[in-house]
Amino acid sequence: LACTTPGPRQHGTPPPLLPALASVGYALTPALYTEAKELLVKEGLSPRKAHLLGLLAKGVDLPSQLAELLEVHPSQVSHLLAALEEEGLVERSPDPQDRRKVKLFLTPKGREAAARAEALWLAVFGRRLARLSPEEQAAFLRILRKLTEVEDA
């Protein structure tokens, strides 16, 4: 699966580096997820609930959009929303533009939970980044932006 033919913005990856880069890349996300999950559970949130609250905090307000972004079946979003609503974190309201749709809102308690979840995630990621010098962190940001095609802000 290794591509050594450079594309428009590619330089190719030397074959000896590819397995090591893939291995380290695959290891980072689960390590961060596991550490964050342990902290979120102590806050009474699952990672999926925390992700959903974060999406709501960013303005995603339709269940169908949440299902698409979470890459889950809409019925799973309905179950998550019901639990979050029962916990007093989310409210549903008919869409004034289309009464067949439901708009979602974070309650004040939900905004607090979303902020705590975001702070936990940043703390977990920050502990990993603290292993890097400021110069390495800046280089890492440039590399991640290049890999995700995000332009400099």
Side-chain angles (χ1 to χ4, degrees):
L1 293 177
C3 178
T4 56
T5 305
R9 290 179 37 161
Q10 298 173 341
H11 302 288
T13 302
L17 290 179
L18 193 55
L21 288 168
S23 176
V24 172
Y26 289 141
L28 180 60
T29 300
L32 292 169
Y33 179 85
T34 299
E35 191 176 340
K37 180 180 176 181
E38 291 171 9
L39 295 172
L40 288 168
V41 167
K42 289 178 185 176
E43 289 287 323
L45 290 171
S46 69
R48 183 146 293 155
K49 283 182 181 178
H51 191 183
L52 191 147
L53 290 172
L55 291 171
L56 288 170
K58 290 179 178 148
V60 178
D61 62 357
L62 295 174
S64 59
Q65 293 172 327
L66 290 169
E68 185 178 320
L69 292 168
L70 292 170
E71 297 181 348
V72 298
H73 192 272
S75 65
Q76 289 178 286
V77 169
S78 292
H79 292 300
L80 282 170
L81 289 171
L84 292 170
E85 200 170 16
E86 192 172 301
E87 294 169 33
L89 302 174
V90 173
E91 291 179 348
R92 303 178 203 221
S93 171
D95 183 339
Q97 307 301 321
D98 184 347
R99 306 288 288 170
R100 296 169 296 171
K101 292 183 181 178
V102 173
K103 290 270 193 178
L104 304 166
F105 302 92
L106 288 175
T107 63
K109 184 178 173 184
R111 283 191 293 280
E112 289 173 16
R116 282 194 318 274
E118 175 78 3
L120 285 173
W121 173 251
L122 291 175
V124 167
F125 200 61
R127 280 194 290 278
R128 294 288 172 139
L129 289 176
R131 299 174 185 179
L132 304 176
S133 70
E135 295 80 17
E136 289 171 322
Q137 290 179 29
F140 186 54
L141 177 60
R142 284 191 305 275
I143 290 165
L144 287 176
R145 282 185 171 153
K146 188 177 278 191
L147 291 176
T148 58
E149 306 263 331
V150 175
E151 297 301 319
D152 289 332

